[in-house]
Amino acid sequence: MPGASCLMINLGEFQFIDKLLKNAAPLKEDAPAKRCWLGVGDDAAIFDGWVATKDLSVENTHFRLDWSTPEQAVEKHIVSNVSDISSMGAVPKIAFLGLCLNKNWSAETCDRVRAALSEGFAKRGITLIGGDTVSGEEGVFSTTLLGTLAGEKPLVRSAVKSDDNLYVNGTLGKSDAGLWILMNHPEDADKFPSLVEYHLNPRIAECAGAELVRLGAYGACMDLSDGLSSELNHLALASNVSIEIDEKLLPIDPEVVRMSEYYGIDPLKFAMNGGEEYQLLFANSVPEIIFNGENKCLGKVCRIGRAVGSSNGSQVYMLCQDGEKKLVEPRAWSHL
C-alpha cells in the first residue's frame, strides 16, 4: 500500500516520543527572577534572564557503544550541558532535545537510550518541552538547556581580578586518563575502573555553581570541558590578567598518579590537558575559609594559584616543583 512504510515510521516516532515524555518533570511557571542579557563568550548565554547553553554528543566522537552502555552515553551528554549551566551560577530548568537514532541500533538499544534520556532529565527536575527525533548513520544527542540564575548576577569568565585566588573543585585528570586506557590498553580497563568509569559517565557536583553564589563567592567561573591549560588561558584573556599556578597545589587524582606510574607517563599531562572533566575552575577574593570543610554541593575545593597584573599580557605561568617558572600553553581538546 503506497505510504504504508512512512505511516509505520511516523507511528513509531509518535510512540517513541510519547514514552520519552511520559514521566517528564512537570513544567513549572517559574520565570527568571532577574531579567538580564549576556552574549557569546561564556559557557552559556543569557537572554531575558534565561541562561542558555547547547551541547552535542556524536557517536564515535563523544561516545562509543562498544565502550559505554547507552545509559552511560546519555548521562555523559546530560552532564556536559548541566555543567555549563552550573558554571554560570545557575540551575537547569528546561530542555529541548534533538535526537538522531542510529538506524543500525537494535530496538533494545533505542529503548534504553529513550529511557535513559527520560529518567536523566526528570531526576534532575529538568522539563523536556520540545525537540525533534530522526534516524541516521550515527547516533546524536543534542540538547538546548535553559536555566535560571541562583543569585543576582551570573558567574562569568571576565570577572577575574588581580590578586584573586584560583580554585578547582574535584580532582584533575580522570577523564583523559580513562580515555587513554581505553585507546591504548583496553585490556587493562579493570585495573583502573574509576578512571574508565569517569570518562564514560562523569559524576560531578552539579549544584556547585549555585552553591558558590549562595556562599557569596561572586567571581569568574567556567567548567573544565576542554582541559585546565586551555581554560586558564581563557580566563586570563577574558579578564585581561595573568595567572600563576603552583604545580604542587594541583589536585591530581590519586588514581591518575597510580596509573601514570604504572605506564611511565607524566600525570601532569592528564591534569593539565585532559578534556571532558566538567569540574569547575573559578577565581575569587572571598575568604578561603568558606571553601574549607565538607560541602556536599561543592565537593573538594583546592586553591591552585592566583591572578596577577597583566603587564606582560594575559599569560598563564606554572611554578614547577623544581623551581622553574614555565609558560602554560593552551592544549585544548578539539573535535574539528
Side-chain angles (χ1 to χ4, degrees):
M1 185 176 75
S5 59
C6 181
L7 177 62
M8 290 175 65
I9 291 173
N10 287 339
L11 286 175
E13 180 182 354
F14 295 151
Q15 292 169 355
F16 184 92
I17 294 172
D18 184 62
K19 288 182 178 180
L20 178 64
L21 298 176
K22 186 175 182 180
N23 297 313
L27 179 63
K28 299 178 181 178
E29 296 184 6
D30 185 18
K34 185 173 180 62
R35 301 179 68 176
C36 57
W37 300 77
L38 182 69
V40 68
D42 284 270
D43 285 337
I46 305 176
F47 61 93
D48 205 18
W50 287 105
V51 182
T53 189
K54 182 179 185 62
D55 216 343
L56 290 164
S57 294
V58 180
E59 188 178 11
N60 298 321
T61 299
H62 299 92
F63 67 93
R64 286 174 46 171
L65 292 186
D66 57 334
W67 284 355
S68 63
T69 66
E71 292 80 9
Q72 289 173 325
V74 166
E75 273 291 291
K76 184 174 182 178
H77 170 69
I78 295 176
V79 164
S80 72
N81 282 273
V82 169
S83 69
D84 282 338
I85 297 294
S86 173
S87 72
M88 302 295 293
V91 179
K93 301 287 188 178
I94 293 171
F96 296 84
L97 175 66
L99 177 61
C100 180
L101 296 170
N102 188 322
K103 63 184 181 181
N104 295 312
W105 285 350
S106 66
E108 179 193 7
T109 297
C110 291
D111 193 55
R112 289 172 66 181
V113 166
R114 187 270 311 159
L117 286 165
S118 180
E119 179 184 347
F121 287 113
K123 72 183 181 182
R124 293 172 168 89
I126 299 170
T127 307
L128 276 172
I129 64 170
D132 193 19
T133 306
V134 298
S135 64
E137 298 296 326
E138 292 184 322
V140 179
F141 312 140
S142 174
T143 295
T144 300
L145 189 59
L146 306 181
T148 55
L149 293 174
E152 290 294 311
K153 56 186 179 181
L155 305 176
V156 294
R157 299 179 185 181
S158 58
V160 185
K161 302 181 296 295
S162 183
D163 293 326
D164 274 1
N165 287 319
L166 272 293
Y167 303 90
V168 294
N169 74 322
T171 56
L172 299 172
K174 300 182 296 299
S175 183
D176 194 38
L179 175 62
W180 189 92
I181 292 169
L182 289 169
M183 293 183 67
N184 295 279
H185 290 282
E187 73 280 2
D188 289 344
D190 59 346
K191 288 185 173 70
F192 306 97
S194 67
L195 302 181
V196 173
E197 172 65 20
Y198 191 88
H199 175 71
L200 299 178
N201 185 15
R203 303 289 185 181
I204 64 169
E206 296 185 8
C207 58
E211 182 66 4
L212 287 176
V213 171
R214 188 190 72 79
L215 293 170
Y218 280 109
C221 188
M222 63 189 303
D223 78 343
L224 292 173
S225 57
D226 290 330
L228 182 60
S229 66
S230 292
E231 311 301 21
L232 285 167
N233 276 275
H234 286 152
L235 280 187
L237 286 169
S239 297
N240 192 30
V241 296
S242 285
I243 291 172
E244 294 180 354
I245 61 170
D246 192 330
E247 182 182 356
K248 67 176 181 293
L249 297 179
L250 296 177
I252 303 177
D253 191 86
E255 279 297 283
V256 173
V257 174
R258 187 172 75 88
M259 185 273 274
S260 298
E261 290 175 348
Y262 184 84
Y263 292 111
I265 305 171
D266 185 357
L268 199 61
K269 164 189 176 296
F270 301 114
M272 292 299 296
N273 303 325
E276 297 185 331
E277 199 78 22
Y278 303 121
Q279 306 288 1
L280 296 187
L281 164 68
F282 59 98
N284 245 286
S285 56
V286 298
E288 194 168 332
I289 187 67
I290 69 169
F291 304 131
N292 293 338
E294 291 296 324
N295 185 313
K296 292 182 179 179
C297 289
L298 276 178
K300 178 183 178 182
V301 173
C302 290
R303 184 178 67 84
I304 63 170
R306 67 186 184 97
V308 296
S310 57
S311 57
N312 295 321
S314 300
Q315 305 286 354
V316 178
Y317 299 95
M318 177 187 289
L319 179 60
C320 302
Q321 296 198 48
D322 61 8
E324 185 179 357
K325 186 176 178 180
K326 292 183 178 179
L327 184 68
V328 176
E329 299 283 359
R331 303 290 185 187
W333 175 265
S334 175
H335 294 301
L336 297 180

